[in-house]
Amino acid sequence: MTDIHRPKVIAVVRQEHMEFTRTDLLIDPVDYGYAGTREVVVESFGTVGNDEEPAEQREPGDVLIDIARTHAAVVDGEGEGEGEKP
């Protein structure tokens, strides 16, 4: 599996019974650290619209949430490690 910030990641997949989505926990294959989380549609479903948001149809493969860890550091004080490359 690929991730926007890394060419390859390992995905540990969790899907609950009777759910329309699955959660992918993304792991960095180099250091096995947390790389992010993704929520992906596995079964078609529609949302109900209202005055603020229109109804939407979701199809298998649609990504609803995509979170990537781009940097992590162990520091001694506030502000240390900011702007450094991982």
Side-chain angles (χ1 to χ4, degrees), residues 2-83:
T2 59
D3 177 56
I4 192 169
H5 297 285
R6 292 174 181 79
K8 298 280 185 185
V9 294
I10 298 167
V12 178
V13 178
R14 177 181 177 184
Q15 183 176 348
E16 297 287 332
H17 180 66
M18 302 292 290
E19 290 289 325
F20 295 109
T21 62
R22 72 168 195 256
T23 301
D24 298 343
L25 177 64
L26 306 177
I27 306 293
D28 187 321
V30 175
D31 64 7
Y32 301 105
Y34 172 77
T37 304
R38 180 179 295 141
E39 186 173 352
V40 181
V41 175
V42 294
E43 188 175 325
S44 297
F45 71 93
T47 62
V48 177
N50 58 37
D51 291 339
E52 297 176 13
E53 295 185 21
E56 296 181 358
Q57 181 66 29
R58 301 294 187 174
E59 299 297 332
D62 289 350
V63 176
L64 301 179
I65 299 172
D66 193 7
I67 300 170
R69 184 196 77 177
T70 59
H71 180 74
V74 177
V75 298
D76 290 327
E78 186 175 331
E80 290 183 13
E82 293 180 10

